[in-house]
Amino acid sequence: GSQVLREGYQFLLSCLRHSKDMIVFEAARAITLLPVEFDEAEPIIIALVGLLRSPKPCETVAALRTLSQLAIRFPSLSSRCNEE
């Protein structure tokens, strides 16, 4: 139960530092589907903001859509993205 969820979350966090953008995006998206707390959402937002700078439009749009979903759950944390 809880141990499996914790280990899965740790694995997904490690994927946020991967060199391939699509793996970073999928890990961030998967974490957003978990019941994360406010303090656990910051690494997701940092990774997604990095994808906003991607030269590939599909990655930028995907990151923007995921950030939009996070903004509903964590408006104060996602407000930092408005500066970008």
Side-chain angles (χ1 to χ4, degrees):
S2 163
Q3 179 67 22
V4 172
L5 184 63
R6 196 171 314 123
E7 289 176 9
Y9 175 74
Q10 291 301 320
F11 172 72
L12 290 171
L13 277 181
S14 72
C15 290
L16 292 177
R17 296 181 296 276
H18 200 277
S19 61
K20 300 290 183 185
D21 288 343
M22 194 51 65
I23 292 175
V24 172
F25 168 72
E26 288 296 339
R29 190 179 67 77
I31 293 172
T32 62
L33 300 175
L34 297 175
V36 294
E37 299 294 326
F38 179 82
D39 58 332
E40 298 171 319
E42 189 169 9
I44 308 164
I45 291 176
I46 291 169
L48 290 170
V49 168
L51 290 175
L52 290 176
R53 299 182 189 105
S54 173
K56 299 175 183 172
C58 62
E59 290 178 359
T60 303
V61 170
L64 192 57
R65 289 185 67 184
T66 305
L67 281 168
S68 173
Q69 293 169 351
L70 278 174
I72 294 168
R73 288 174 60 188
F74 307 110
S76 62
L77 189 59
S78 63
S79 66
R80 68 191 290 176
C81 299
N82 293 333
E83 299 171 4
E84 292 294 322

